[in-house]
Amino acid sequence: MLERAFERVLFASRWLLAPFYAALGIGLIVLLVKLFQELAHFILHALESNESQTILGVLTLVDLSFTASLLIIVMFSGYENFVSKFDHADHKDWPEWMGTIDFTGLKLKLMSSIVAISAIQLLKAFMEVKSASDRELGWLVGIHMIFVISGLLMALTDRMAAGHHDH
């Protein structure tokens, strides 16, 4: 009886994660505000911007979009994996990936998104190579490579673990 009560409390504690996912939703709103700020700046300076500045503006919008998409993936997949399943019967436009990403898939998507965001930041720095120091560029490349290698090692580890479970 004590064990069953403990297990119920432990199982119910998964709902303590719900505020974390709600906070990510608030983070999405903050990113949306930042998107509108960047978009306004981008449009207001479009005629006076050179090609490099235009590309940097577009990359900033892409970067914000990747980050927002990452938040959505973490919010929905995390909630479904750790808290509760969504009832998607009433939603005609339910994305196919929702409900299919397990924790391993979530980790890999998260790492892939981080690598993509890091690559965009690196590209932005290289677009302004005249204003960046060699040391700064070196750090950016080094950090990006750490993300890439970490992602590859994570994928390799998950693949090896999946192969181990198949036997």
Side-chain angles (χ1 to χ4, degrees):
M1 187 169 133
L2 183 62
E3 180 181 3
R4 187 170 295 171
F6 176 74
E7 288 173 356
R8 275 194 200 130
V9 169
L10 197 60
F11 186 67
S13 70
R14 74 190 190 284
W15 284 97
L16 294 173
L17 286 172
F20 289 93
Y21 298 118
L24 291 178
I26 294 167
L28 195 59
I29 293 168
V30 171
L31 273 177
L32 184 62
V33 169
K34 193 64 179 168
L35 172 77
F36 287 136
Q37 284 179 333
E38 291 295 331
L39 187 59
H41 181 266
F42 182 64
I43 291 170
L44 292 174
H45 295 92
L47 297 177
E48 62 196 46
S49 299
N50 61 31
E51 182 182 1
S52 179
Q53 291 168 327
T54 302
I55 292 170
L56 286 172
V58 170
L59 286 174
T60 299
L61 298 177
V62 170
D63 192 21
L64 288 168
S65 174
F66 270 148
T67 305
S69 298
L70 175 63
L71 279 176
I72 290 292
I73 291 170
V74 172
M75 281 174 20
F76 287 111
S77 297
Y79 183 85
E80 280 216 323
N81 278 302
F82 301 114
V83 180
S84 182
K85 297 288 183 200
F86 286 103
D87 180 16
H88 57 82
D90 297 334
H91 302 284
K92 295 176 190 172
D93 59 345
W94 192 260
E96 288 183 30
W97 61 268
M98 285 182 62
T100 61
I101 299 177
D102 60 359
F103 185 62
T104 299
L106 179 59
K107 286 188 311 185
L108 292 178
K109 286 195 178 303
L110 178 67
M111 198 59 179
S112 298
S113 297
I114 290 171
V115 168
I117 292 166
S118 172
I120 290 171
Q121 292 299 321
L122 187 59
L123 182 57
K124 285 165 74 174
F126 280 126
M127 294 292 294
E128 296 179 335
V129 73
K130 292 178 184 173
S131 65
S133 70
D134 290 346
R135 180 180 176 166
E136 193 175 8
L137 290 174
W139 273 106
L140 288 172
V141 169
I143 291 168
H144 178 70
M145 291 310 300
I146 288 171
F147 287 146
V148 169
I149 292 168
S150 296
L152 289 172
L153 289 174
M154 189 180 299
L156 182 63
T157 303
D158 286 339
R159 183 173 223 176
M160 288 170 45
H164 182 273
H165 291 298
D166 290 344
H167 295 312

